[in-house]
Amino acid sequence: MYMHDYMKVNSEGHLVIGGCDTTELAKEYKTPLYVMDEDRIRDNMRQYKNSIDKFYSGNGRALYASKAFSAVYMYKIAAEEGLGVDVVSGGELYTALKAGFDPSKIVFHGNNKSYDEIHMALNAGVGRLVVDGEGELEKIDAICKELDKKAEILIRVKPGVDAHTHQFISTGQIDCKFGFAIENGEAYEFIKKAMTFDTVQIKGLHCHIGSQIFLFEPFKCCAEVMMNFYAELKAELGLTLPELNLGGGFGIKYVESDTPVSYEGYIEAVSDIIKGICEENELPIPFIYMEPGRSIVGDAGTTLYTVGTIKDIAHVRKYVSIDGGLGDNPRYILYGSEYDAVLANRATDTPEETVTVCGKCCESGDIIIENCHLPKAQSGDIVAVMSTGAYNYSMASNYNRIPRPPVVMVSNGKSKVIIKRETYDDIIKNDIL
Ligand code: LLP
């Protein structure tokens, strides 16, 4: 039974988020329901922005990694808070452009961008393309010639740093589909090749070592490897790069025992490393990008569900079924991720039992929380699962043809729908009748 510090409980014992009684939200919008605290999102964004101002003289930009939760409203918030965004597909780019996001502050990623996606990005005037594979330079070159443009690019490299996170979400090591490895000379050769294209301008390199990282060390090590490589490129190729993208990956609190790193502390430590290596090697201090996704939206999101069937299997376990499941939160079945929850309508009741909160999909692994300590749950109770703001809606599916829940943004006691609940007609909209 963990809940975030920024949440409250009212005199009726109901969980309150953004000044809204969650039991009222459940009544008004029905469940399952994603609730996002707008002030928390903005605070998270400001922490990055303010830390870059404080420790790096403002010589950088936080990009919201919108894969964590892509929605028109999110790009509007990012724009208002002065952040750029990272997009990774034509769909995310389209959403950002629909939101009126300044294309020059968009960074476009992807290990297998299609010709059409690159065309769309260059045509829209996207700020940076992150080149991530053989063959991509040729595509960019052809499109630039057609559009009479020059592309400003970053090149994705693998720094060879072990991020100590789940293997499916760690990306900095050599055996990974993203980028070019530094350690075997692949990155060096690719950069040399990119220098021969006059339709591209190499602004810098990009790295990202993984996600949900709780340690400073891999981040510091990564900054060091990257800057030493910048020094090598200058010495060997006479190439001086004005920008460096350090990626995202900062862990958040899902359960009581999680210990996220302080973003301020990270930026301070990394700034020192970058400045030190620049001084030693007479390199200009690069403009830095950071790409936090999870740590912007993760702890701002809560999913509300209604309890239905309860099955107490003697000497085995007790299943508490809720009205959603892996369709709205696939992270347990994908990564064995841990979550915690409270009963939103009885948030002050003492936990009495350990149960498995499971979904309604036709799949035994459809679990949201294994071993969840809750008060004795009854049918009709509202379960509020913490920290579902990142990689839940964005990875949601219609498995079993279950419509995706709506997303409601709350702030100052007011709520508004930012993404509607899907209907059965939405479910069949692409079926040929
Ligand atoms: N930049 C790049 C290039 C990335 O690949 C990612 C995440 C980020 C930034 C943002 O990382 P964050 O700050 O959110 O950790 N679906 C998984 C997470 C996949 C992360 C993919 N890349 C999950 O649910 O845990």
Side-chain angles (χ1 to χ4, degrees), residues 67-141:
K67 70 207 78 183
F69 174 47
S70 174
V72 166
Y73 196 79
M74 275 308 299
Y75 295 101
K76 291 188 174 165
I77 297 183
E80 281 171 20
E81 295 298 333
L83 268 69
V85 296
D86 137 4
V87 299
V88 75
S89 69
E92 285 179 3
L93 175 58
Y94 183 82
T95 314
L97 295 173
K98 276 280 173 195
F101 202 87
D102 175 358
S104 72
K105 289 193 181 162
I106 299 178
V107 174
F108 193 107
H109 285 277
N111 67 306
N112 187 23
K113 301 175 201 71
S114 69
Y115 185 92
D116 289 350
E117 284 176 321
I118 298 174
H119 195 283
M120 179 181 175
L122 286 170
N123 200 28
V126 153
R128 299 283 178 272
L129 279 176
V130 183
V131 177
D132 191 339
E134 290 293 345
E136 200 173 327
L137 286 170
E138 289 75 5
K139 281 188 212 162
I140 295 173
D141 185 57

Side-chain angles (χ1 to χ4, degrees), residues 25-85:
L25 293 174
K27 263 188 222 140
E28 185 175 349
Y29 301 106
K30 312 275 185 287
T31 56
L33 177 70
Y34 296 105
V35 179
M36 304 283 297
D37 186 305
E38 183 163 340
D39 298 332
R40 183 71 179 183
I41 295 173
R42 289 181 187 272
D43 281 353
N44 288 339
M45 288 181 172
R46 282 172 202 165
Q47 277 201 45
Y48 283 101
K49 197 171 178 307
N50 295 343
S51 309
I52 295 175
D53 288 347
K54 187 165 164 195
F55 297 109
Y56 206 70
S57 316
N59 187 27
R61 180 177 299 145
L63 308 170
Y64 165 55
S66 63
K67 70 207 78 183
F69 174 47
S70 174
V72 166
Y73 196 79
M74 275 308 299
Y75 295 101
K76 291 188 174 165
I77 297 183
E80 281 171 20
E81 295 298 333
L83 268 69
V85 296

Side-chain angles (χ1 to χ4, degrees), residues 3-4 82 114 133 169 210 218 224 234 239 245 267-268 274 290 302 314 366 409:
M3 60 183 245
H4 294 301
S114 69
I169 52 176
E224 206 176 310
K234 185 185 167 212
L239 181 68
N245 188 326
I267 294 168
E268 186 177 14
I274 296 176
M290 280 189 307
T302 308
D366 176 23
M409 199 57 82

